[in-house]
Amino acid sequence: MRRADRLFLIIHALRGRRTALPARRLAETLGVSLRTVYRDVADLQRSGVPIEGEAGIGYLLRKGADIPPLMFSPEELEAVVVGMRFARAFTGARLMRAADAAMLKIEAVLPADLRQRVERVRIFAPVWRDHETSALGRLLDQLNEAINQRSVLVVAYRDEAGRDSEREIEPLCLAFWGGKWTVGAWCRARKAFRSFRPDRIVRCAASGEVFPDLPGQSLAAYLTAVGAGRVSVGT
């Protein structure tokens, strides 16, 4: 039995139960070892599925936290799978782990016909991690965290001509342009919006300051300022 099928059946077996289901019964039903059941349940728990219990006692879904079946059209599911694969390939480690966990949850509760559709998706985004891409992934995680926390960043930046400068920026968003990332920000030195390439950021550190959400320096104002297809890289 495929692992995705096992995960789906574990959740299905626990759905609606009032008493804990022993791991041994799950193992017998699935035709696998107790160790496999323990590992599968632990993976589901780490992914956020609300399973309570432990080895030797049994398992059940947390009261009031039953998981409804997912209803995707084949085209919707294909879009989800492709999005997850691109998130794994082109973002940092944090979103890579989140994409893996989300896909695990989705596969666990999909009907059989749609789980088979997942396997037939033939659009791939191979994950490549060398020193350069790993460093970029860590920087993307740092930038994403700064955006979420509204943290002012001090960056050493090298522009296209090789000129170095140090900036204080208020990061607002990340955008992927089919090969290159940009971080949209309010640049305090230029007193204007700029889009910086993360691969040209030499150093980056939080200043410890949290920037306010000012109307003229907000994400909405940035998107209006740059216009569709007119993002200028910071200089």
Side-chain angles (χ1 to χ4, degrees):
M1 182 183 295
R2 298 178 310 164
R3 183 168 181 268
D5 292 329
R6 288 201 315 271
L7 298 177
F8 172 80
L9 290 173
I10 288 172
I11 292 178
H12 182 73
L14 298 178
R15 181 174 284 129
R17 289 187 62 88
R18 295 180 179 271
T19 58
L21 180 63
R24 188 170 298 281
R25 277 190 57 191
L26 276 173
E28 292 170 354
T29 300
L30 299 173
V32 296
S33 67
L34 275 172
R35 178 176 295 181
T36 297
V37 170
Y38 296 151
R39 184 174 62 245
D40 287 347
V41 169
D43 285 343
L44 288 168
Q45 289 172 325
R46 281 193 292 269
S47 297
V49 178
I51 297 175
E52 295 181 339
E54 57 184 333
I57 296 176
Y59 301 100
L60 75 166
L61 284 172
R62 187 180 306 129
K63 187 176 181 180
D66 191 21
I67 301 175
L70 290 178
M71 299 300 293
F72 287 118
S73 71
E75 292 76 18
E76 291 169 343
L77 183 61
E78 184 171 6
V80 169
V81 172
V82 171
M84 296 293 186
R85 289 176 179 175
F86 274 75
R88 292 185 72 252
F90 298 112
T91 62
R94 188 179 66 82
L95 286 181
M96 177 190 285
R97 290 192 297 268
D100 283 337
M103 202 65 233
L104 179 66
K105 290 180 186 178
I106 291 170
E107 289 181 345
V109 296
L110 284 175
D113 59 330
L114 290 183
R115 292 202 306 281
Q116 293 173 3
R117 180 63 182 246
V118 168
E119 296 182 347
R120 295 200 298 270
V121 175
R122 294 295 183 261
I123 300 176
F124 299 102
V127 177
W128 175 262
R129 289 291 184 268
D130 55 16
H131 176 74
E132 183 177 347
T133 56
S134 295
L136 178 60
R138 290 191 294 272
L139 178 57
L140 291 174
D141 279 344
Q142 183 181 3
L143 292 170
N144 192 30
E145 180 67 15
I147 290 167
N148 292 334
Q149 299 300 321
R150 306 190 64 82
S151 297
V152 175
L153 295 176
V154 180
V155 300
Y157 191 73
R158 182 168 296 146
D159 68 14
E160 188 174 9
R163 297 184 296 260
D164 291 335
S165 62
E166 186 168 289
R167 316 282 187 94
E168 278 195 350
I169 66 170
E170 301 174 6
L172 300 169
C173 66
L174 282 163
F176 184 64
W177 300 86
K180 296 296 182 183
W181 285 92
T182 58
V183 54
W186 176 261
C187 177
R188 290 183 167 183
R190 299 291 186 265
K191 294 182 172 54
F193 292 116
R194 290 291 186 271
S195 296
F196 299 94
R197 289 251 303 259
D199 59 331
R200 293 180 184 163
I201 293 177
V202 181
R203 292 186 310 279
C204 177
S207 71
E209 180 184 353
V210 175
F211 62 89
D213 188 16
L214 300 176
Q217 296 169 209
S218 66
L219 174 60
Y222 166 78
L223 294 175
T224 299
V226 298
R230 293 194 298 108
V231 177
S232 59
V233 176
T235 57

